[in-house]
Amino acid sequence: MSGPSAASTEVESARKACGRLHQAYSSSRLYPSDHPTARNTLGEFVDALESHLDVYGFMMLRVEEDRLVFEDEEVYSHEEVRSSVAFLMFRDGIRFVTFYPGIEAGEIESFVDCLAHADELAAVEHDLSTALWERDLQHVEYEVVDPFLGGGGERLRDQALNELRETVIRRLSELSPGSGGAGPQGGQPEQADPESMTLTPADIRRGEQAVADPSDALEDFTVVLLEIAGISGGSPKGEEALARALALVTERILDSGDVDALDLVVSRLRSLEAQGRRLPEFARDVVGEGMTSARLTRLIASIGQVPPVEAARVERVLREMRDWVLPTLLELLAESADKAVRKTALDLLDAEGGVPARHLWPLMADPRWYVVRNAVQLATGSGAPELAGHLERLLRHPDARVRREVIRSLDAVGGARSAALLARGLSDEDPSVRTLAAHGLRRHGNRAHIAAVQVHIDSREFETRPAEEIAAFLQAYATLGGEATVEVLGKLWKRRVFGTRPLPVRLAAIQALGEVASPSAREALVDAARSGEVPLQRVAARALADIQARMRGAGG
């Protein structure tokens, strides 16, 4: 009986919070942030959300085009779609949003502010997910449809391929010395003499004229050069001239914004590289040399200026040329004033095999916090032996956002040295850094690190810390110490004669006992389940159920 009723109450609580969210969003659009109406509606949303999180834990909402869904129940919709917070998030690719306990009023206000100004972001080539990412909200998590997944762009049809083949054969015949204008019947490109493919000064002039003349000649000449690039064995001078001519036409293509032609060049170069007919250095010479930061910025910015199908095509081309333009991407990451461009550059750099670490060390000394944070994020998967030394130095960085990324990196890397540095992070001045460090040490530490955790638990001010931090420390303590921690955890949740500990401490201690799962820990949880205090009973029951599930799984 209590199960369905409790579920219904939880859904109603989420529905109330979403209703308050809409009111806060609407008021923030109409009034200045310091207006009484805006402040009141924001305060009501803060109260409703915090109340839900205090009772039920995190709140995950599925974002659909015209509604928000919680536990498969609709908890929000709005008749006017354009004024719907669900539509705003859905439009910019957000499919799930989750709020976690411990969220601060400032984070909630930032979230509402981003929604209220979502329509203004398009004017500055920004989107909602990027705006939220820049706010670095620690207790708000959102899942975005990745713009760099999936295909995109149209494929050439058979007829177009046939026409292209005829053009290539005709142009190759024209370019071959002594061919006498044999035309399409003069032989297939694969059978041409490599020496006859060497570009003459006249060919180079023709290429430069094609570059200067924005006509169909540019496309035809590009096709010819790409076909010649597929035939190896030319003289060194011919190879150099070929790379120079292709670089010239590629620069012209970039300046003209012709995505069709750029797609052709990149796809063909990728194909030649995959077939082993050209080394990666050739494509870097052709595309990378001419890819200035201004050209790459224009290409990235075009994503928000074209229809979705065309935008997907640009994104695919960017992915395919990524390895050839790494230096320019790194330059944008550090120097671009456009946050959306920086985020796209970061996404590209973080894809595939990452970035060679040697390019990232200088960025970690940059005075701008976001450059350092992004460099740490990119370096995490590099496996470079020097990484730990850089992370150790950055644990003293003045900006907490950098230190948080350092802790995440140490957690991802793992190992004995990372565990030692995570233990140092427990004493950081910022609560969010300490919380992340405790979670990381729980995964990578050992019994030697128990003392580093316990010194905080024993401190007088521990009970005044945020609930999320208290829970992280006690879970790390239980995981690292095992059976030896049961007595201390048992004392933490029980009532005292003089002054009972705060509820977050008692609840976290019960949750931590569930990590131990020994007979004495289960006995302590049974006592908590019989305590007569409903919040403690609920948490203890869940912990016991989790232990039983793990035991069944281990036995199966």
Side-chain angles (χ1 to χ4, degrees):
M1 294 292 291
S2 62
S5 176
S8 175
T9 304
E10 187 173 359
V11 170
E12 286 304 316
S13 175
R15 183 173 286 116
K16 177 181 178 181
C18 290
R20 295 288 188 266
L21 167 61
H22 181 85
Q23 292 172 359
Y25 154 73
S26 299
S27 297
S28 295
R29 293 181 65 192
L30 296 173
Y31 303 104
S33 59
D34 57 351
H35 191 279
T37 300
R39 301 309 304 173
N40 289 340
T41 54
L42 178 63
E44 290 173 355
F45 174 47
V46 170
D47 292 342
L49 181 58
E50 289 182 341
S51 175
H52 181 96
L53 299 179
D54 287 343
V55 176
Y56 302 106
F58 69 89
M59 181 172 75
M60 176 185 286
L61 301 172
R62 186 171 77 245
V63 181
E64 298 183 1
E65 186 172 6
D66 57 353
R67 64 177 188 162
L68 299 177
V69 177
F70 176 79
E71 298 290 348
D72 294 327
E73 294 281 346
E74 179 183 299
V75 292
Y76 170 84
S77 64
H78 188 66
E79 185 175 341
E80 178 55 48
V81 174
R82 292 288 174 178
S83 300
S84 164
V85 295
F87 175 77
L88 289 175
M89 291 188 283
F90 186 89
R91 178 188 64 187
D92 283 358
I94 297 175
R95 295 297 180 264
F96 288 92
V97 60
T98 305
F99 301 93
Y100 289 96
I103 190 170
E104 298 177 358
E107 293 180 82
I108 300 174
E109 183 174 0
S110 292
F111 180 78
V112 173
D113 184 64
C114 286
L115 289 176
H117 296 90
D119 287 335
E120 302 168 14
L121 297 174
V124 292
E125 300 175 4
H126 221 13
D127 60 28
L128 181 57
S129 62
T130 302
L132 291 171
W133 176 77
E134 288 289 340
R135 297 295 183 102
D136 197 27
L137 306 179
Q138 289 299 297
H139 298 84
V140 182
E141 187 175 278
Y142 49 93
E143 183 177 321
V144 182
V145 175
D146 190 344
F148 291 105
L149 291 178
E154 300 176 355
R155 296 187 179 276
L156 295 171
R157 291 180 169 80
D158 291 341
Q159 180 180 357
L161 285 171
N162 291 332
E163 292 174 356
L164 177 60
R165 186 178 298 109
E166 291 173 3
T167 300
V168 169
I169 294 172
R170 183 179 71 253
R171 291 296 183 177
L172 283 172
S173 298
E174 294 172 358
L175 286 174
S176 300
S179 65
Q185 303 303 320
Q188 296 297 324
E190 291 80 356
Q191 299 172 345
D193 179 6
E195 289 300 322
S196 71
M197 295 298 102
T198 300
L199 295 180
T200 66
D203 296 331
I204 299 300
R205 285 195 299 274
R206 186 183 308 174
E208 292 173 343
Q209 290 170 0
V211 170
D213 181 17
S215 66
D216 291 341
L218 176 62
E219 181 178 352
D220 285 350
F221 194 70
T222 302
V223 170
V224 172
L225 292 175
L226 290 171
E227 286 299 322
I228 295 174
I231 304 173
S232 60
S235 67
K237 287 186 178 180
E239 292 290 291
E240 182 180 345
L242 173 63
R244 176 187 167 197
L246 265 174
L248 284 170
V249 296
T250 302
E251 288 177 15
R252 178 62 181 174
I253 288 168
L254 288 167
D255 290 338
S256 68
D258 188 344
V259 178
D260 289 334
L262 182 61
D263 191 3
L264 173 64
V265 171
V266 172
S267 299
R268 180 59 175 162
L269 290 175
R270 273 293 181 200
S271 176
L272 294 175
E273 186 179 313
Q275 296 168 16
R277 298 162 74 181
R278 286 287 169 183
L279 295 174
E281 288 77 6
F282 182 79
R284 278 199 290 270
D285 289 341
V286 170
V287 178
E289 291 299 321
M291 185 61 80
T292 62
S293 60
R295 286 176 174 136
L296 186 54
T297 296
R298 285 197 300 270
L299 186 59
I300 291 174
S302 71
I303 295 173
Q305 302 167 357
V306 295
V309 172
E310 190 66 15
R313 189 181 191 187
V314 175
E315 290 158 0
R316 175 174 56 78
V317 172
L318 282 167
R319 288 199 312 275
E320 291 179 353
M321 69 166 65
R322 168 195 176 278
D323 294 344
W324 308 331
V325 297
L326 281 179
T328 311
L329 283 170
L330 288 166
E331 182 182 349
L332 288 187
L333 188 67
E335 302 299 336
S336 177
D338 189 320
K339 295 177 182 177
V341 170
R342 289 204 307 269
K343 186 173 187 301
T344 301
L346 179 63
D347 289 340
L348 285 166
L349 289 165
D350 207 18
E352 305 292 336
V355 181
R358 65 180 182 277
H359 296 301
L360 301 173
W361 307 144
L363 298 181
M364 292 186 182
D366 195 281
R368 293 161 294 186
W369 72 267
Y370 58 86
V371 175
V372 181
R373 181 194 66 178
N374 293 342
V376 171
Q377 180 178 332
L378 290 171
T380 298
S382 67
E386 309 98 318
L387 177 60
H390 288 280
L391 295 179
E392 181 175 7
R393 175 179 59 81
L394 290 174
L395 276 175
R396 300 185 295 275
H397 195 279
D399 197 297
R401 289 168 289 193
V402 171
R403 300 198 302 276
R404 280 198 293 267
E405 195 62 43
V406 169
I407 296 297
R408 294 188 187 103
S409 179
L410 291 169
D411 189 10
V413 172
R417 188 169 183 186
S418 289
L421 294 176
L422 287 167
R424 285 173 50 180
L426 297 176
S427 299
D428 193 275
E429 63 182 21
D430 185 84
S432 63
V433 176
R434 296 195 299 265
T435 301
L436 288 171
H439 283 307
L441 195 61
R442 173 190 174 194
R443 285 183 280 269
H444 305 291
N446 53 48
R447 295 184 69 86
H449 299 109
I450 296 175
V453 179
Q454 188 158 6
V455 70
H456 290 272
I457 296 174
D458 293 341
S459 66
R460 292 183 177 181
E461 47 77 43
F462 180 71
E463 296 179 357
T464 66
R465 297 187 185 186
E468 186 179 15
E469 181 182 350
I470 291 171
F473 270 81
L474 292 182
Q475 287 172 1
Y477 179 61
T479 301
L480 299 176
E483 177 65 24
T485 66
V486 172
E487 182 178 356
V488 172
L489 294 172
K491 291 179 179 178
L492 286 176
W493 77 260
K494 291 180 179 178
R495 285 186 174 275
R496 295 184 296 186
V497 177
F498 300 104
T500 301
R501 291 182 176 85
L503 183 60
V505 176
R506 302 175 71 199
L507 293 175
I510 293 173
Q511 289 176 323
L513 284 167
E515 299 291 329
V516 179
S518 67
S520 60
R522 291 198 296 274
E523 183 178 343
L525 288 171
V526 171
D527 288 343
R530 297 171 178 170
S531 65
E533 298 179 71
V534 174
L536 273 62
Q537 289 176 317
R538 183 185 297 119
V539 173
R542 289 178 183 171
L544 286 167
D546 289 343
I547 291 174
Q548 292 174 355
R550 292 200 299 270
M551 292 175 65
R552 285 196 299 270

